[in-house]
């Protein structure tokens, strides 16, 4: 009796052969490894970055790139992702992504997303 081939795993293989979780960016809609994305949470109508992934509530994931943020805002993706009515304030998120982009242009390593 022949054995069936193993099912391919999703995500990038990690150190011990384990697959990493895969999430979709709400801006560009590209599926990628969760560790490459920034988790976001809506707190009282404001989109707040959650780099440690510990804040309560429904989360959405975004590449830490101002272009993906612009795409998500243009597509009105945040209210759908958070399942909340109305527009959400992305000001603090926009400032944080602009600061990260400025640090990357300076040539410094970005360790905290």
């Amino acid at each position: 009796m022949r054995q069936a081939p193993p099912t391919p795993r999703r995500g990038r293989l990690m150190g011990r052969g384990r697959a990493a979780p895969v999430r979709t960016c709400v801006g560009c809609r590209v599926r990628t490894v969760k560790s490459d994305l920034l988790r976001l949470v809506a707190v009282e109508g404001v989109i707040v970055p959650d780099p440690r992934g510990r804040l309560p509530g429904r989360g959405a994931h975004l590449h830490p790139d101002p272009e993906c943020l612009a795409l998500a805002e243009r597509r009105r993706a945040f209210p759908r992702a958070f399942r909340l009515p109305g527009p959400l304030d992305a000001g603090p998120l926009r400032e944080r992504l602009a600061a990260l982009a400025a640090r990357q242009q300076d040539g410094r390593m970005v360790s905290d997303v």
Side-chain angles (χ1 to χ4, degrees), residues 17-110:
R18 295 179 46 176
V22 177
R23 300 291 184 264
T24 301
C25 174
V26 295
C28 63
R29 304 292 299 159
V30 172
R31 290 176 53 93
T32 187
V33 178
K34 182 179 170 182
S35 61
D36 292 344
L37 299 172
L38 175 63
R39 183 176 188 261
L40 309 171
V41 177
V43 177
E44 298 179 3
V46 178
I47 301 172
V48 179
D50 181 18
R52 293 187 177 172
R54 301 286 189 250
L55 290 177
R58 184 171 181 84
H61 292 82
L62 181 79
H63 284 108
D65 180 15
E67 292 178 13
C68 281
L69 175 61
L71 272 171
E73 289 179 324
R74 189 172 62 219
R75 294 178 46 246
R76 298 184 197 117
F78 289 122
R80 281 193 307 273
F82 294 121
R83 297 182 183 171
L84 294 173
L88 298 169
D89 179 23
L93 175 62
R94 191 176 300 109
E95 292 170 6
R96 182 178 176 108
L97 292 182
L100 285 173
R103 276 196 265 168
Q104 285 179 342
Q105 287 178 352
D106 290 345
R108 290 185 272 179
M109 293 297 294
V110 178

